[in-house]
Amino acid sequence: MTEQRWLGPAQQNRRYFTLGTGETFIPIGQNFCFHRLADQLGEEEVLATYRHWLGAFAAQGGNFTRIWLGVPFFNVMPERLGEYSERNLGHIRAVVAMAEEFGVKIKFTVEHFRSVQPPAQPVAETFPGVISFLQPLYSPERGGSCRSMAEFFGSDAGRAAYLAKLRYLAAAGLGETPAVVAWELWNEINSTGELAIWREWSDQMLAALHEIFPRQLALQNLGSFSGSTAYRCYDYLGALAGTDFLQVHRYLDPGAELDICRGPMDVLCADAIGQLRRRCSDKPAVLAEGGAVEANHARYSRLYEKDREGTLLHDVLFAPFFAGSAGSGQCWHWDHLYLDKHDLYWHFGRFARAVAGVDPIAEDFQPYYTETHALRVYGLRGRRMDLLWCRDKASDWRSELDEDRPAADLRDLSVPVDDASSCQAYAPWTDSEEELLLRNSRSALLPPFRRSLVLRVRH
């Protein structure tokens, strides 16, 4: 990391982030990418909603979010290529000002469309209220010159159009605020076509991002790691030198090709981070999208209606960090579909408390995993302490949300620990702490808890 950057991998342990001040930064993240109903509301109401979302999130310790710049409300070229909207630029600046006020860091996603032609089928089920989100402006009908994604990625005209947008955003000063820490080239770029059509483009545009926004991070982004084709794409991402950290998307998906994506949420999220770490061990790894969908991403999951306690969100937040991620997992469905609908912001506060005062860089945390009869134990071994997250095996989305069996109170359990001199337990579901009785330096007797428990084991 250069001294001028506001966020980057730490030199001492490059799997974690540090700020330009040298302070360790643990991203506690959530997607707030767009307002699904923005085209039905006035700009004041949309911005008021963003103030509510970001304020409620930050009040619970949330400090990192993602915003899509290709959606109508934020798109600085909304109508025709080369024609800019100062009004929409004002919308971006307003959200950046909120982030500065609330202490939230932003990752901007520059584009997301999958075709230069309008979609043949409605996409309202996938993106309720935002069919226009997938309407591109690079076709000849809207001032461009590209009739396919291969032409967009491969032609000088397509690249020039993309770069013009980046330079306009830089000229507007968005590279000069520490509230903006990262730029993402594309959302799920592998959904636009085969790797061969966008590989060279990614290399060139990542270099351009580094040049245009030298104080911020540059990233590439791939779709959900849920099928056989994902392995090759993520092999590519792991070897991509220009991306400053690694991201993965993964969902609970009953139609997924991979068995793991149909199982417990904590297992599929933890494995997603493991997939990144196996491909590149010296960059931060982040679950940038997690959540639950109907089969093959047809729409958001029916489980959200019943998940009023936020069991799915809890696992998305906790499992990645304890599997070796640089921060919490980042849930996708943030608005009237799930997070805001059930007022689940308090979960960010529970994660923040679980990691409060912990410095993964100073500890040089190394992830490990073990199990007992009742628990999956995700651990981080450090120099002076170990941090463990113990997850009930018997309680998951099937038992609680499909079968309506409440999570049981777990009692009289113990977990193995290493050379413990003391051990403190934090129960996220009751927001309570207590010192534990150590049977010996190798075993800790756990207090009663539901679903999960965090342990701080001091050597």
Side-chain angles (χ1 to χ4, degrees):
M1 184 190 73
T2 66
E3 286 299 315
Q4 283 69 38
R5 283 192 181 173
W6 288 300
L7 182 70
Q11 294 300 319
Q12 306 95 310
N13 184 329
R14 296 189 61 80
R15 292 186 295 102
Y16 293 100
F17 290 116
T18 185
L19 298 171
T21 59
E23 178 185 1
T24 299
F25 179 76
I26 299 176
I28 302 175
Q30 171 66 39
N31 286 279
F32 291 110
C33 295
F34 45 76
H35 195 307
R36 295 177 200 275
L37 307 178
D39 59 348
Q40 303 172 28
L41 305 173
E43 63 182 348
E44 289 186 5
E45 188 171 353
V46 174
L47 291 174
T49 302
Y50 261 100
R51 172 165 285 277
H52 161 66
W53 288 341
L54 292 172
F57 171 64
Q60 293 290 341
N63 61 18
F64 186 85
T65 193
R66 178 178 179 224
I67 305 292
W68 282 17
L69 295 182
V71 298
F73 191 73
F74 295 124
N75 192 353
V76 294
M77 285 195 293
E79 300 297 335
R80 291 186 64 80
L81 198 63
E83 297 178 3
Y84 295 97
S85 169
E86 288 292 321
R87 182 178 184 180
N88 287 357
L89 177 60
H91 298 162
I92 298 172
R93 284 176 165 154
V95 171
V96 170
M98 294 177 203
E100 291 171 340
E101 176 184 348
F102 294 129
V104 174
K105 306 295 185 184
I106 295 175
K107 175 179 66 180
F108 279 136
T109 304
V110 181
E111 282 292 7
H112 65 277
F113 62 86
R114 299 177 178 183
S115 171
V116 295
Q117 301 298 326
Q121 299 294 327
V123 292
E125 286 300 300
T126 306
F127 297 106
V130 295
I131 293 177
S132 61
F133 280 24
L134 303 185
Q135 301 285 344
L137 50 76
Y138 296 97
S139 64
E141 292 79 6
R142 300 186 67 186
S145 62
C146 303
R147 295 191 177 277
S148 69
M149 291 306 296
E151 189 174 347
F152 173 81
F153 289 126
S155 69
D156 290 340
R159 298 179 191 196
Y162 186 90
L163 288 170
K165 186 174 183 177
L166 292 183
R167 292 188 176 111
Y168 176 83
L169 294 167
L174 295 179
E176 301 303 319
T177 169
V180 179
V181 294
W183 295 84
E184 184 175 67
L185 289 176
W186 211 278
N187 176 67
E188 301 189 346
I189 195 168
N190 56 316
S191 298
T192 65
E194 295 295 324
L195 174 60
I197 74 167
W198 47 264
R199 169 178 236 146
E200 182 181 353
W201 182 92
S202 291
D203 291 339
Q204 293 183 358
M205 293 302 115
L206 283 169
L209 277 180
H210 282 120
E211 179 182 349
I212 296 169
F213 301 105
R215 305 183 75 183
Q216 295 152 328
L217 303 179
L219 308 169
Q220 186 52 289
N221 172 290
L222 300 177
S224 188
F225 201 130
S226 57
S228 57
T229 59
Y231 288 92
R232 181 170 177 240
C233 288
Y234 277 91
D235 288 346
Y236 154 81
L237 186 67
L240 184 58
T243 194
D244 287 318
F245 64 88
L246 300 183
Q247 309 179 95
V248 63
H249 293 184
R250 180 174 272 176
Y251 289 81
L252 171 61
D253 176 0
E257 192 175 356
L258 303 187
D259 290 342
I260 199 165
C261 296
R262 302 190 298 273
M265 182 66 88
D266 63 296
V267 176
L268 71 90
C269 290
D271 177 75
I273 296 301
Q275 294 288 350
L276 293 184
R277 285 179 42 77
R278 284 192 287 276
R279 285 161 172 80
C280 181
S281 61
D282 66 347
K283 289 182 180 180
V286 174
L287 178 65
E289 281 188 25
V293 294
E294 291 300 287
N296 302 307
H297 291 255
R299 68 194 297 270
Y300 59 93
S301 176
R302 61 185 173 78
L303 299 174
Y304 285 155
E305 183 62 35
K306 299 180 72 173
D307 191 23
R308 294 178 177 85
E309 287 191 84
T311 59
L312 297 170
L313 174 61
H314 173 81
D315 286 345
V316 169
L317 289 174
F318 278 75
F321 180 76
F322 286 86
S325 171
S328 77
Q330 297 158 21
C331 191
W332 174 251
H333 299 98
W334 59 89
D335 48 10
H336 61 284
L337 303 181
Y338 183 48
L339 173 66
D340 200 63
K341 177 184 177 71
H342 299 313
D343 193 21
L344 298 175
Y345 296 98
W346 57 273
H347 280 280
F348 300 101
R350 303 299 168 82
F351 180 84
R353 186 170 178 187
V355 301
V358 173
D359 188 340
I361 298 171
E363 290 294 337
D364 192 25
F365 276 146
Q366 304 297 322
Y368 73 97
Y369 177 80
T370 189
E371 296 187 26
T372 70
H373 287 297
L375 303 172
R376 289 186 288 271
V377 181
Y378 302 88
L380 298 167
R381 285 196 176 97
R383 292 188 174 111
R384 294 173 295 277
M385 66 175 290
D386 297 344
L387 202 61
L388 284 65
W389 182 56
C390 308
R391 184 63 170 91
D392 179 11
K393 289 181 177 179
S395 173
D396 61 19
W397 61 268
R398 281 197 183 91
S399 62
E400 292 200 49
L401 304 179
D402 259 354
E403 300 168 7
D404 295 316
R405 289 189 286 115
D409 289 332
L410 302 179
R411 297 177 180 276
D412 302 320
L413 298 180
S414 61
V415 294
V417 294
D418 292 335
D419 299 322
S421 61
S422 66
C423 187
Q424 184 182 57
Y426 172 64
W429 289 94
T430 56
D431 196 25
S432 57
E433 290 182 339
E434 66 177 277
E435 289 292 329
L436 297 191
L437 174 67
L438 291 173
R439 288 176 167 169
N440 51 57
S441 65
R442 295 289 183 180
S443 179
L445 180 64
L446 304 183
F449 69 98
R450 280 191 313 144
R451 297 192 183 102
S452 79
L453 191 73
V454 176
L455 301 182
R456 296 191 187 198
V457 180
R458 301 197 180 277
H459 304 308

